Amino acid sequence: MNTSPTLNIDNQHWYQLSVEEAVRRLQTDAEAGLAQADTAARLQQFGPNELEERAGRSRWQILFEQFANILTLLLVGAALVSFGLREYIEAVVILLIVILNGLLGYTQEARAEQSMAALKRMSVPTVRVRRNGKVQELSARDLVPGDIVLLETGNLVPADGRVLGSMNMRVTEAALTGESEPVEKSPELVFESERALADRQNMVYSGTIIAYGHGEMIVTATGMSTELGKIADLIQSVEQEPTPLQKRLDRLGKALAVAAMLLVAVVFLLGIRTADTREEIFEVLLTAVSLAVAAIPEALTAVVTIALSLGAQRMLRRRALIRKLPAVETLGSVSVICSDKTGTLTQNRMTVTALDVANHRIDLMQQPEESRLALRLTQSGEPAEALLPTLDLLLLSGALCNDAVLVKDDDSDDYHTVGDPTEGALVLGAATFKILKNDLDKAFPRVAELPFDSTRKRMTTVHRSPQAAPDIPASLMPVWERRMPNELPPYLAFTKGAIDSLLPRVNEIWVEGELQPFDATWRQRVVEDHDDLAGNGMRVLGVAIKPLDKAPAQWEMEELEKDLILVGMFGMIDPPRPEVAEAVATCKAAGIRPVMITGDHPLTARHIAQQIGISENRQFITGQELDQLSETELRDKANEISVFARVSPEHKLRLIEVFQKQNQIVSMTGDGVNDAPALKKADIGVAMGITGTDVSKEAAEMVLLDDNFATIVSAIEEGRIIFDNIRRFIKYLLSCNASEIAVMLLGPFFGLPLPLLPLQILWMNLVTDGLPALALSVEPAEKNVMKRPPYSSEESIFGQGMAAFIIVIGIVMSLISLGIGVWAFGSGDPNWQTLLFVTLIFTQLALSLEVRSETTSLFKMKFLSNPYLVGALILTVLLQIVVIYVPFFQNIFDTRPLPLFDLLLAVAASIVVLISVEIWKWAWRWRMARS
């Protein structure tokens, strides 16, 4: 063995090297392993085999950032002003809101920093390694490139490596590649061209699991140089972006800060002109500051938090767990859903979907349950009774030449299997036709077998045949009466395997109960049928039989797989979930584009995408093709093509960035370690609760408890409801504030002294912006919530006509209130200020009823559909009556008792506001109908 002080293994495509070349380049000995001196030098050169964590934000930094936004600073300022005005209760309430929101945000973000910790848990504590000619156990942390590692069923692979030896070794790589089936490994394979990670059958990767068999590997990469390490680096390099709501609220906070400062200046300058004494100047200043405080929506952060929290609870009832609260609203803004295939769009269970026998194919996915069980129709629609014995033989063969175990569920009449997923599909396929493997094993006991291996790509079992009806379980009597072959031989050999390995050993074919020579015509027809099934993304297995007069001796076993009779083929696929097609259609109706991004085979991905409506053409892009595209080309392709297959974590990140650069709000689903960087990069990452790894869950904002794509659509609906309710609240709040401000600004021009006193402004701010505004946060959804496109991420929260509504309706309410106040003042009514005060509050309460819908008339909405709002209105009216009729509060707020006529006048004014808003809605509907 040739050793050197340093080892240069950068940029090596190990899957393109033979075993001998890989051993030579790693300067090791495949039989004896590394020497102790070499391992020490390499440990010094490459470092320990562990994932490195970058220095992230400290806990104090995360906490500080919760309070370093403009809206929070505004609220703190409002609390200080309230203290100055001796409004201690309001000041304390505002500060409590600020503190609680800060702590909630801190908890959410601190939890979000745990994805690296979950990734580290995938490391292996001890491994078996060959060093100095001896097998020894050591910590996986001490592995170095060139080490020879022994792998067994159940082992986690401790590092990346080139396969040196394999005894039927299959590796579950779903967490890393998205490939749902265990991948068979072969050391003899050498690839000449570049291959995707999932197609490198001569490599194993850190964090994957040995599902079957055993073997050896030579370590080619450790620590951060492994594929798992590259994912860890991607996770840590992704920067979290603010959610659309956070961006909108930040812009709103800045606008309100500027407006509040201008308001103080304008009101003070207008009021000081008529102020003669120091007390009057001070009162003008207090009024200006009070109005500025009233203009700031103190309840906004509380309402947003309450709306998000209630939304999260509703989502949990719909099987979606929210890990980061702002994600609730982000869902409502989603315009692109990038979904993994396996388990999310599909059932994550291999299923027999097609039976192909000579001249006939039965499509099990398109036939109703009764037809499937009775098998009344073939694909051509002809009666199939004559075909039943052949289909019986095909199903029976697939279930007998099989090591999977059929298990009946405890709580239902359904079955599940234990064992290899592909073999389980064959067993469940037979059970669908009431042919149960447990009964078959009793009727056809196995007497010999040739196990599957990767060289032959076949499996053969030999069974003793039942010779009389008493030997047949009752459940198999219909099959027995049809007598697949009319006379069963004493023994039957069943062989299943890949068609290319089976056909060279076939010399006859079973055609509707008769044997025919397997000539060139039949061979071509079978190959075409196979290619058609495979072209639809199915995994295809052929089944053949061979009659025997006696059980074979050991030396005769090799002859079992010669002169076979081909019975037919099984087409298997992981089928779509039944509810997904409808969910995809709902997405499209809601202006949301679903895209499939998977590590699975492109033909399988395309077939599923077409079945459920994600793709309407046959186009797809593989990871290798994606590497060849420039940014501009990829953007154009991404807008046309909805299926991306055999992609790596880097490809997923790149695709998400392409969509985000077009101002799309992107949701990404995933369950594997390879999905974690994309989950973190997406505007909302969605992990799978059942099949998802801890790493993917920690990186995501939401976890699907049922792994179902349809649940994402339900969560998006909830997100839209929440955003609509936040808009309702802001529209109502700022319209009320605008009316108060307009009253104070316009009052002097109408000859009024100070229209409202500072405490009256603060009271109005408390009662109208409090309970009614909170009640609007739980308003039920409008009918069209999932029939309109999402709001653009760049659109202001004041979009869709909200800014104009706030200004116009705010002025209308102020003019109505001022009109009544001016009339009363001119009439010499000493109650004029109290009347103006009550009128403005009543008009604001009327407005809360109208803002429940953007366009629907109040008279077409169910009045009691939001009982919280009804209760809030009643309580607010009662509180206002207390303020104007109870002497204690009269002294505090400087109010006077109003006669009944004045109260009715205030109610009439509120009705005028209702009519004004109804006219606005009619104009908006007319405009939308014209556009």
Side-chain angles (χ1 to χ4, degrees):
M1 180 178 65
N2 180 29
T3 62
S4 60
T6 60
L7 186 66
N8 183 11
I9 56 173
D10 293 337
N11 302 316
Q12 297 281 353
H13 293 301
W14 297 103
Y15 59 91
Q16 295 180 341
L17 303 180
S18 66
V19 167
E20 295 75 19
E21 181 62 17
V23 169
R24 187 187 68 79
R25 294 198 185 186
L26 286 162
Q27 300 176 17
T28 188
D29 187 322
E31 300 299 325
L34 290 172
Q36 191 61 41
D38 292 330
T39 58
R42 294 184 185 191
L43 193 61
Q44 180 71 26
Q45 179 184 350
F46 296 103
N49 179 33
E50 61 184 9
L51 302 181
E52 299 169 5
E53 192 165 359
R54 298 180 192 170
R57 294 179 300 169
S58 69
R59 299 277 172 162
W60 288 109
Q61 283 177 301
I62 296 173
L63 184 61
F64 173 77
E65 288 171 7
Q66 305 311 309
F67 301 98
N69 63 76
I70 189 68
L71 199 56
T72 301
L73 295 176
L74 270 178
L75 292 179
V76 172
L80 294 176
V81 170
S82 297
F83 270 119
L85 296 173
R86 298 185 180 180
E87 290 295 317
Y88 301 119
I89 294 177
E90 179 161 340
V92 170
V93 168
I94 294 172
L95 287 177
L96 282 175
I97 289 172
V98 169
I99 291 169
L100 288 174
N101 275 286
L103 291 176
L104 182 64
Y106 168 80
T107 304
Q108 296 285 338
E109 290 201 32
R111 187 192 301 166
E113 300 287 315
Q114 300 302 310
S115 53
M116 269 304 297
L119 201 58
K120 281 186 167 184
R121 288 198 293 271
M122 295 186 69
S123 60
V124 189
T126 58
V127 292
R128 295 174 67 225
V129 179
R130 189 181 297 120
R131 286 184 178 176
N132 296 315
K134 298 178 181 178
V135 174
Q136 52 187 282
E137 283 195 356
L138 51 83
S139 170
R141 188 175 180 275
D142 297 328
L143 283 179
V144 296
D147 262 325
I148 309 299
V149 179
L150 281 62
L151 301 169
E152 297 177 347
T153 301
N155 285 168
L156 275 173
V157 178
D160 291 359
R162 174 67 165 84
V163 176
L164 294 183
S166 170
M167 287 296 293
N168 299 324
M169 186 169 70
R170 282 179 262 176
V171 182
T172 301
E173 298 179 336
L176 200 61
T177 66
E179 181 70 60
S180 55
E181 289 289 295
V183 180
E184 189 161 346
K185 299 297 178 179
S186 173
E188 291 82 13
L189 290 173
V190 179
F191 300 103
E192 296 181 0
S193 59
E194 190 172 341
R195 291 296 182 103
L197 204 67
D199 294 326
R200 301 173 189 173
Q201 290 99 330
N202 56 5
M203 298 287 294
V204 289
Y205 294 100
S206 177
T208 58
I209 302 171
I210 308 300
Y212 186 84
H214 58 90
E216 293 183 4
M217 63 174 260
I218 180 171
V219 175
T220 57
T222 58
M224 296 299 286
S225 298
T226 63
E227 295 297 328
L228 196 65
K230 293 173 185 176
I231 292 172
D233 191 56
L234 286 174
I235 290 174
Q236 296 179 92
S237 64
V238 173
E239 295 183 5
Q240 288 294 105
E241 293 287 331
T243 68
L245 180 63
Q246 288 170 329
K247 293 176 183 176
R248 287 171 174 137
L249 292 181
D250 189 56
R251 291 196 293 265
L252 174 62
K254 290 175 181 175
L256 289 174
V258 173
M261 288 187 287
L262 288 174
L263 187 62
V264 171
V266 171
V267 172
F268 183 71
L269 291 174
L270 287 175
I272 202 172
R273 295 184 307 165
T274 58
D276 297 323
T277 66
R278 180 179 295 179
E279 288 75 14
E280 289 177 346
I281 293 173
F282 183 67
E283 187 171 15
V284 169
L285 178 61
L286 280 181
T287 302
V289 173
S290 299
L291 201 57
V293 171
I296 298 169
E298 293 96 335
L300 178 58
T301 52
V303 168
V304 169
T305 302
I306 290 169
L308 296 178
S309 299
L310 293 175
Q313 292 176 25
R314 290 196 299 270
M315 288 181 186
L316 185 59
R317 289 195 290 271
R318 299 176 82 163
R319 312 298 292 163
L321 173 66
I322 300 296
R323 294 187 64 255
K324 301 168 189 175
L325 207 54
V328 175
E329 180 277 331
T330 308
L331 277 162
S333 303
V334 165
S335 55
V336 176
I337 301 178
C338 298
S339 178
D340 190 22
K341 178 187 71 70
T342 306
T344 310
L345 299 172
T346 64
Q347 298 176 25
N348 197 24
R349 184 181 67 185
M350 288 298 286
T351 304
V352 174
T353 57
L355 302 176
D356 193 289
V357 294
N359 294 327
H360 298 282
R361 180 181 300 170
I362 312 299
D363 188 341
L364 301 183
M365 294 304 294
Q366 294 184 1
Q367 303 226 21
E369 192 69 15
E370 313 81 53
S371 296
R372 186 164 62 189
L373 292 177
L375 211 63
R376 298 300 178 200
L377 297 175
T378 64
Q379 190 180 35
S380 61
E382 298 170 355
E385 281 79 359
L387 191 60
L388 289 174
T390 305
L391 291 170
D392 287 337
L393 181 57
L394 177 65
L395 293 163
L396 179 145
S397 302
L400 282 173
C401 186
N402 200 308
D403 289 329
V405 178
L406 184 69
V407 181
K408 191 174 186 298
D409 295 342
D410 294 332
D411 53 353
S412 70
D413 292 330
D414 295 331
Y415 293 89
H416 68 274
T417 59
V418 178
D420 180 81
T422 301
E423 293 200 322
L426 298 177
V427 170
L428 286 174
T432 302
F433 293 91
K434 308 300 183 185
I435 300 175
L436 306 182
K437 179 170 172 56
N438 300 342
D439 294 337
L440 286 175
D441 289 339
K442 295 175 184 175
F444 294 83
R446 186 183 298 188
V447 296
E449 67 177 281
L450 270 176
F452 176 89
D453 68 54
S454 56
T455 303
R456 291 171 30 252
K457 296 183 181 179
R458 295 183 301 276
M459 173 183 179
T460 298
T461 57
V462 180
H463 301 259
R464 187 174 64 246
S465 304
Q467 297 301 311
D471 299 328
I472 304 294
S475 64
L476 292 180
M477 281 307 297
V479 177
W480 172 258
E481 288 167 0
R482 290 193 288 265
R483 297 295 289 270
M484 300 84 60
N486 289 331
E487 295 297 331
L488 290 178
Y491 293 89
L492 274 171
F494 300 97
T495 300
K496 75 170 189 292
I499 283 294
D500 59 348
S501 72
L502 207 58
L503 294 190
R505 297 176 173 269
V506 170
N507 63 3
E508 290 181 295
I509 184 170
W510 191 271
V511 183
E512 298 180 18
E514 297 180 356
L515 294 180
Q516 294 186 14
F518 192 64
D519 55 21
T521 302
W522 274 117
R523 181 180 299 274
Q524 181 180 351
R525 188 178 297 179
V526 169
V527 170
E528 287 175 354
D529 288 345
H530 168 272
D531 291 347
D532 184 49
L533 290 171
N536 284 326
M538 296 186 191
R539 181 173 184 183
V540 184
L541 280 181
V543 173
I545 62 170
K546 183 176 183 177
L548 300 171
D549 294 329
K550 60 184 180 64
Q554 189 62 38
W555 57 271
E556 296 176 307
M557 295 296 289
E558 294 296 330
E559 300 297 314
L560 284 177
E561 294 179 348
K562 295 180 179 179
D563 302 324
L564 300 177
I565 301 167
L566 183 66
V567 178
M569 294 180 288
F570 291 96
M572 289 170 285
I573 200 169
D574 179 11
R577 288 175 175 267
E579 64 278 6
V580 164
E582 183 180 351
V584 168
T586 302
C587 279
K588 291 185 172 182
I592 302 167
R593 182 186 171 205
V595 176
M596 182 189 291
I597 303 179
T598 179
D600 215 337
H601 194 281
L603 293 179
T604 305
R606 181 181 67 188
H607 180 69
I608 296 295
Q610 288 179 315
Q611 274 192 303
I612 60 180
I614 284 182
S615 176
E616 297 175 358
N617 55 51
R618 297 180 62 81
Q619 291 181 293
F620 59 79
I621 292 181
T622 65
Q624 285 179 273
E625 293 168 338
L626 195 148
D627 283 331
Q628 310 303 317
L629 299 177
S630 66
E631 288 301 311
T632 303
E633 290 171 332
L634 179 58
R635 183 191 63 210
D636 294 339
K637 290 288 186 183
N639 290 333
E640 297 171 4
I641 297 173
S642 297
V643 179
F644 299 86
R646 283 290 190 252
V647 293
S648 68
E650 292 86 354
H651 296 143
K652 294 180 181 182
L653 276 181
R654 193 176 169 201
L655 284 166
I656 289 173
E657 288 173 353
V658 163
F659 289 124
Q660 288 176 333
K661 285 178 181 177
Q662 299 177 70
N663 296 324
Q664 303 281 4
I665 300 299
V666 183
S667 170
M668 173 71 198
T669 74
D671 58 0
V673 177
N674 61 324
D675 295 317
L679 290 173
K680 194 171 180 182
K681 175 66 178 173
D683 295 288
I684 173 145
V686 181
M688 304 297 109
I690 300 172
T691 60
T693 59
D694 287 346
V695 183
S696 64
K697 292 175 188 176
E698 295 291 353
E701 284 83 9
M702 185 174 85
V703 178
L704 300 182
L705 300 181
D706 56 2
D707 288 10
N708 195 337
F709 180 85
T711 303
I712 303 175
V713 181
S714 299
I716 286 174
E717 182 180 356
E718 288 291 348
R720 289 191 173 190
I721 295 169
I722 289 160
F723 182 64
D724 286 350
N725 286 344
I726 291 171
R727 275 176 52 87
R728 289 184 184 104
F729 165 78
I730 292 174
K731 177 190 279 190
Y732 169 68
L733 193 86
L734 295 185
S735 297
C736 293
N737 290 357
S739 67
E740 296 163 20
I741 292 167
V743 164
M744 297 302 294
L745 291 176
L746 298 176
F749 294 102
F750 286 93
L752 291 177
L754 204 61
L756 296 170
L757 299 176
L759 284 180
Q760 291 174 344
I761 295 171
L762 293 174
W763 170 257
M764 192 181 306
N765 200 40
L766 179 65
V767 293
T768 60
D769 296 358
L771 294 175
L774 288 172
L776 286 172
S777 68
V778 292
E779 182 69 26
E782 293 196 62
K783 292 181 180 179
N784 70 336
V785 70
M786 289 300 283
K787 295 179 181 178
R788 58 167 172 80
Y791 294 125
S792 167
S793 61
E794 297 299 300
E795 186 176 35
S796 166
I797 203 162
F798 295 114
Q800 304 292 311
M802 185 194 286
F805 180 94
I806 290 168
I807 294 169
V808 172
I809 302 301
I811 291 175
V812 167
M813 288 193 296
S814 66
L815 290 176
I816 292 170
S817 302
L818 277 173
I820 291 175
V822 169
W823 169 78
F825 181 74
S827 302
D829 187 348
N831 299 334
W832 71 269
Q833 193 174 56
T834 302
L835 178 57
L836 192 156
F837 177 42
V838 172
T839 301
L840 193 53
I841 285 181
F842 278 17
T843 58
Q844 291 177 356
L845 294 179
L847 179 65
S848 69
L849 291 171
E850 283 287 357
V851 297
R852 293 170 60 202
S853 174
E854 298 264 355
T855 57
T856 305
S857 168
L858 173 64
F859 306 105
K860 291 186 177 180
M861 290 187 280
K862 293 181 180 178
F863 184 70
L864 295 177
S865 62
N866 187 349
Y868 300 102
L869 181 60
V870 175
L873 293 177
I874 293 171
L875 183 58
T876 303
V877 170
L878 292 175
L879 288 172
Q880 186 61 24
I881 289 173
V882 168
V883 165
I884 60 177
Y885 288 109
V886 175
F888 174 77
F889 292 103
Q890 288 175 349
N891 293 331
I892 294 175
F893 293 99
D894 200 9
T895 58
R896 298 187 179 194
L898 295 176
L900 180 61
F901 176 78
D902 286 355
L903 282 178
L904 293 176
L905 190 61
V907 172
S910 66
I911 293 173
V912 175
V913 170
L914 290 180
I915 294 170
S916 301
V917 179
E918 286 295 321
I919 293 171
W920 175 279
K921 288 183 179 180
W922 174 84
W924 187 260
R925 290 195 299 269
W926 178 80
R927 179 186 170 190
M928 295 299 291
R930 291 282 300 271
S931 61

